[in-house]
Amino acid sequence: MSTNIKAAEASPVRRYLPLLGVAAIVLYCLLPFYWMFVSAFRRPLDQFDNSLLPSPWSLDNLKAVFGEGVGFGRALLNSLIVAGVTTILVLIIGLIAAYTLARLDFRFKNVVLAIIITTSMFPGISLVIPLLKLFIDIKWINTYQAMIVPSLSFALPLAVWTLTTFFRQMPRELEQAAMVDGCTPAQAFRKVILPLAAPGVFTTAIITFIAAWNEFLIALSMVNKKEIQTANVAISKFTGISGFDQPFGTQMAAGVVVTIPLVIAVLIFQRRIVAGLTAGGVK
Amino acid sequence: MSATAQLAERPSKQPQKSRRRTSFNEGTGRLAAILLSPTLIVLALVVVYPIISALRESLYTSGQQIDDEGFVVEGSQFVGLDNYTAIFSGETGERFWNAFYNTTFFTVTMVVLETILGVAMALVMHKAFKGRAIVRASILVPWAIPTVVSALLWKWIFQADGAANALLGTQILWSTEGWQSVLSVIIADTWKTAPFIGLLTLAGLQTIPDEVYEAAKVDGANAWQQFLRITLPLVKPALLVAVLFRILDTLRIFDLPFVLVGANKDSVETLSMLAYDEASNTRYGPAAAYATILFLYVALVAYVFVKLLGADILGDAVKRKPNGKRRGKSKDAAPPGANTVAMAGSTHGGGSVS
């Protein structure tokens, strides 16, 4: 019987089918992205050319993106501020909660965890409308905080959930040993746990940052001034210089600019991101 | 800070505590409340308050005066359930039911498609021994691309003289109106999220020990039987969590149809887009009513899904006491949705065994 199994595994179909499948998956995931990349480097003239490679490579689209009056650099900076501050706030608040949930035993612990996770499931629009009204009243429209504060609604539960997972993986003996050596629990956390949890915290930071960077509805609703738009909103509103009904060349180029840093980060940290995503099981 | 001081003396008490419980565990309710309060306060402010406020708002209608920034000034009146009754009647009723139908249709078709594709991808990746790193990296690319950018990317592909038509040899005006725009949204969403379901399912697959399959082979089960009887039941917890999150995500879908096809298009308008449209026209009362209905719909679907299929969002945290003893080596054996929680169990348990 066992030789039978081995023979079956060694048959060429069995051996090459998965490889074919892998190739199919890779193409499925990357082809549209490739198309965006290539389109960004066409000349605006032959934008609608469907050749696999741009015939003369051109940086015109990229130049247009960063051209005068487009304000895309500013939009990128805005995105960076909003996503960055959101990530930092979420990490500071979320770390404490996650450590508490992972280490302390108290009544209603699972209820609290359930509530925190549930809050990430509410439809964004039902949070945005009341907040929009509130922010109009307190004159927060067209400010960074008007985008950062609502972003916490999905980013914080995500981070608490992932961080809790990471803390639970660390043996309790670590703190116990530290405390036997005379640390207070707070010191044990700061001096022993936090450095060891750094990879997990970093993972959470990347996932949170990407989620906040990709946010659209809040940024679209809370801002109507161009100077404070995030990159996503700016791209969707491009009018372009090229005179087409929709400036796809510029939009593809802007898309590449917005995406490439994320793709590079994903490639470098793929293991960690996968660990974080599958641990949290969210989004 | 008082909490820290309170805890400082703990280590000295440790020896007389029971073997398993750590020094953290006594009288920690208050400490936990203090430590959790920042998170809970933030969530109360950015989630609970808006939800309640939306409920209240949906019972009011606001005046139509507009200030120079383009936002409404003031003057809201209590109108009771008028906003809700208006939703279900006449022309707005048609628009609402259309959006409701679109939202539901998108959710059902996308989640089914994405699940099938995702599971297929996971199976392929699980079988493949070469190139796993490449697949894992490329699978994350659609996930990392902002939805807005992917919507534009697909809009570009679906242009009249774009890549899709060139490839298919057709002259379809994809992202305009009608079935083809619906299809374009479905394709774009499936592209972005099927790999993600695949990723989560793969994590579930990797927790199934090989011995189970070897035993099945010895018993003469064929590949299909193995898939139905072993693979599917064992990845079910991981898969259900992934599917639940996808369902909730698609029910509130906004950016993709909004950017890919556009606002005010009957064929792809979803409840989120409808509510956004009302809000951007400063009709906050009706907008809040739409948002509330969507919220209730999402809550209902989540409830039914969890009840019917027993999706375990928390792993098995809810069912188990934190100190419950569990299999010691659950680290490798439990499905991903649950394994993290189980791990906590194993570290607890470790103390009591020794």
Side-chain angles (χ1 to χ4, degrees):
Chain A
M1 197 69 208
S2 70
T3 48
N4 242 348
I5 295 170
K6 274 202 177 135
E9 273 170 357
S11 81
V13 180
R14 282 251 162 153
R15 201 190 291 164
Y16 292 110
L17 213 56
L19 272 183
L20 266 178
V22 164
I25 295 174
V26 172
L27 283 181
Y28 174 94
C29 294
L30 296 186
L31 261 189
F33 179 66
Y34 169 81
W35 195 245
M36 173 166 81
F37 188 80
V38 167
S39 304
F41 290 98
R42 288 185 207 282
R43 286 183 307 184
L45 264 176
D46 34 51
Q47 198 66 60
F48 285 87
D49 195 19
N50 279 326
S51 57
L52 275 179
L53 283 173
S55 43
W57 288 71
S58 139
L59 293 176
D60 289 0
N61 284 326
L62 276 177
K63 279 182 203 149
V65 167
F66 289 104
E68 292 276 320
V70 181
F72 192 65
R74 179 66 201 259
L76 276 178
L77 183 68
N78 291 338
S79 271
L80 201 64
I81 292 171
V82 171
V85 175
T86 304
T87 308
I88 292 167
L89 279 179
V90 158
L91 282 185
I92 293 172
I93 304 170
L95 264 175
I96 304 168
Y99 190 66
T100 312
L101 286 167
R103 281 298 194 258
L104 296 186
D105 288 331
F106 52 93
R107 275 199 300 162
F108 309 122
K109 174 159 129 176
N110 291 322
V111 179
V112 172
L113 192 55
I115 289 172
I116 291 177
I117 296 166
T118 313
T119 51
S120 71
M121 298 179 182
F122 294 127
I125 190 76
S126 50
L127 311 179
V128 161
I129 290 172
L131 288 177
L132 179 63
K133 265 209 95 181
L134 174 72
F135 291 167
I136 292 170
D137 286 345
I138 59 174
K139 302 253 184 315
W140 269 23
I141 295 301
N142 291 322
T143 59
Y144 290 120
Q145 63 267 33
M147 291 185 272
I148 292 166
V149 170
S151 294
L152 298 177
S153 70
F154 63 87
L156 188 56
L158 186 77
V160 169
W161 181 228
T162 324
L163 284 171
T164 306
T165 306
F166 282 117
F167 283 136
R168 277 180 168 160
Q169 290 169 7
M170 306 179 71
R172 285 192 176 210
E173 285 75 14
L174 287 173
E175 293 104 304
Q176 288 169 347
M179 286 188 286
V180 168
D181 289 345
C183 280
T184 64
Q187 281 174 328
F189 174 68
R190 211 176 58 238
K191 293 186 177 164
V192 179
I193 294 301
L194 213 49
L196 286 171
V201 175
F202 183 67
T203 302
T204 312
I206 301 177
I207 294 175
T208 310
F209 185 85
I210 292 181
W213 179 271
N214 293 356
E215 204 288 321
F216 180 66
L217 177 58
I218 297 169
L220 180 71
S221 310
M222 299 301 176
V223 164
N224 55 11
K225 254 194 208 141
K226 208 176 168 191
E227 299 82 66
I228 207 125
Q229 274 173 2
T230 60
N232 281 340
V233 179
I235 295 179
S236 75
K237 289 187 173 170
F238 266 168
T239 45
I241 42 130
S242 40
F244 297 138
D245 48 349
Q246 187 150 16
F248 280 108
T250 348
Q251 282 181 332
M252 292 304 109
V256 168
V257 172
V258 168
T259 315
I260 289 294
L262 297 189
V263 169
I264 291 172
V266 159
L267 292 183
I268 296 174
F269 304 116
Q270 45 149 320
R271 266 171 197 285
R272 286 186 175 169
I273 292 176
V274 170
L277 290 175
T278 49
V282 200
K283 288 232 179 179
Chain B
M1 282 305 102
S2 67
T4 327
Q6 205 184 336
L7 269 177
E9 48 190 309
R10 287 285 159 67
S12 59
K13 282 191 198 163
Q14 201 176 7
Q16 78 237 28
K17 280 304 285 182
S18 78
R19 326 169 262 181
R20 192 186 331 122
R21 298 184 79 86
T22 65
S23 53
F24 279 128
N25 290 348
E26 65 229 49
T28 43
R30 235 188 61 187
L31 176 64
I34 294 167
L35 293 177
L36 284 173
S37 55
T39 297
L40 293 179
I41 289 171
V42 168
L43 289 178
L45 283 178
V46 296
V47 180
V48 180
Y49 162 77
I51 295 277
I52 294 170
S53 171
L55 278 172
R56 184 190 158 278
E57 183 68 35
S58 67
L59 303 176
Y60 284 78
T61 181
S62 43
Q64 301 290 327
Q65 312 96 303
I66 290 168
D67 70 7
D68 27 66
E69 277 205 324
F71 290 109
V72 112
V73 193
E74 249 326 323
S76 47
Q77 295 167 293
F78 184 76
V79 291
L81 293 174
D82 280 7
N83 285 327
Y84 289 96
T85 48
I87 285 176
F88 295 104
S89 61
E91 219 167 283
T92 40
E94 267 167 47
R95 200 174 167 203
F96 167 76
W97 285 115
N98 175 57
F100 185 81
Y101 167 79
N102 286 341
T103 308
T104 313
F105 180 77
F106 276 142
T107 306
V108 173
T109 45
M110 284 172 187
V111 172
V112 168
L113 265 177
E114 287 159 15
T115 309
I116 294 172
L117 261 175
V119 171
M121 285 180 183
L123 289 172
V124 169
M125 290 185 282
H126 193 53
K127 279 268 179 279
F129 297 103
K130 283 178 190 165
R132 249 194 211 170
I134 305 169
V135 188
R136 194 169 41 196
S138 52
I139 246 182
L140 285 170
V141 168
W143 168 78
I145 294 181
T147 312
V148 175
V149 175
S150 82
L152 287 170
L153 159 62
W154 283 98
K155 190 171 188 161
W156 169 230
I157 291 177
F158 284 130
Q159 270 306 288
D161 36 7
N165 279 338
L167 214 61
L168 300 170
T170 51
Q171 295 286 317
I172 300 170
L173 293 171
W174 287 92
S175 49
T176 45
E177 264 285 14
W179 65 269
Q180 61 271 47
S181 62
V182 176
L183 191 61
S184 67
V185 171
I186 291 175
I187 291 175
D189 193 70
T190 308
W191 171 73
K192 187 165 162 56
T193 47
F196 184 71
I197 294 193
L199 187 70
L200 293 187
T201 314
L202 177 65
L205 282 177
Q206 286 171 338
T207 60
I208 305 175
D210 287 341
E211 291 81 11
V212 187
Y213 288 104
E214 277 160 29
K217 272 181 202 161
V218 171
D219 288 345
N222 63 32
W224 179 244
Q225 284 171 326
Q226 285 177 31
F227 174 70
L228 278 188
R229 299 274 165 80
I230 301 174
T231 311
L232 224 44
L234 285 177
V235 293
K236 194 181 134 197
L239 190 59
L240 281 184
V241 172
V243 168
L244 174 61
F245 279 107
R246 281 307 307 147
I247 290 178
L248 299 182
D249 244 12
T250 348
L251 282 175
R252 56 191 172 190
I253 188 167
F254 175 81
D255 350 12
L256 191 61
F258 185 83
V259 177
L260 177 55
V261 183
N264 295 317
K265 296 278 175 75
D266 278 348
S267 46
V268 294
E269 186 167 69
T270 63
L271 287 173
S272 280
M273 291 164 75
L274 185 53
Y276 173 82
D277 190 49
E278 290 291 295
S280 60
N281 286 315
T282 67
R283 289 191 293 272
Y284 295 112
Y290 284 123
T292 305
I293 290 175
L294 175 62
F295 164 71
L296 292 175
Y297 189 38
V298 168
L300 180 75
V301 170
Y303 179 78
V304 169
F305 189 86
V306 172
K307 275 284 158 202
L308 281 186
L309 292 168
D312 225 351
I313 314 163
L314 287 175
D316 43 5
V318 179
K319 288 176 221 149
R320 227 158 29 82
K321 287 272 161 274
N323 275 331
K325 286 173 222 164
R326 237 186 92 137
R327 310 155 273 169
K329 50 176 181 182
S330 49
K331 193 167 185 170
D332 304 310
N339 70 353
T340 55
V341 185
M343 262 177 247
S346 72
T347 45
H348 277 282
S352 70
V353 173
S354 55

